[in-house]
Amino acid sequence: MIRTEGLTEATEETFDAEVLESALPVLVQFTADWCGPCRQLAPVLGEIAREEADRIRIVQLDVDRAPGISVRYGVLATPTLMVFRAGEPVKSLVGARPKRRLLQELADVLDPADR
């Protein structure tokens, strides 16, 4: 899997603890080694993870190593970005995008007034 500084890797075994039980909202990047757009998106997510660490956690999940979770949440394409809050998926985005656009699309999740 594409390892990115600032991002945690979730697995089938750690998904519940890393994502569903998190006190902060969690952005999960459903990714794969063979996914070009995933490689493009990884440094963007690393930057956001460092800059927004007090408001959101970002984890990566390899769809080839965790097919059960991918099926559970209906992930059909990579990269899929899914935001979880209080253990529930609240937003899903498909495809790579620039940092500025991604932050705009995540504004409602990052806004503390919305919690």
Side-chain angles (χ1 to χ4, degrees), residues 73-85:
Y73 292 105
V75 174
L76 301 174
T78 56
T80 291
L81 302 174
M82 195 170 291
V83 179
F84 290 79
R85 184 185 285 149

Side-chain angles (χ1 to χ4, degrees), residues 49-75:
R50 285 187 296 279
E51 294 168 7
E52 302 292 345
D54 58 331
R55 299 198 294 168
I56 193 165
R57 293 188 67 230
I58 302 179
V59 302
Q60 294 176 303
L61 182 89
D62 188 307
V63 297
D64 293 327
R65 295 188 187 122
I69 293 170
S70 302
V71 169
R72 182 188 329 169
Y73 292 105
V75 174

Side-chain angles (χ1 to χ4, degrees), residues 15 19-20 24-26 28 30 73 82-90:
F15 186 82
V19 178
L20 303 183
L24 288 174
V26 181
V28 179
F30 290 85
Y73 292 105
M82 195 170 291
V83 179
F84 290 79
R85 184 185 285 149
E88 297 295 324
V90 296

Side-chain angles (χ1 to χ4, degrees), residues 30-47:
F30 290 85
T31 187
D33 287 334
W34 45 263
C35 172
C38 298
R39 283 193 291 278
Q40 290 177 308
L41 188 57
V44 170
L45 294 177
E47 286 180 30

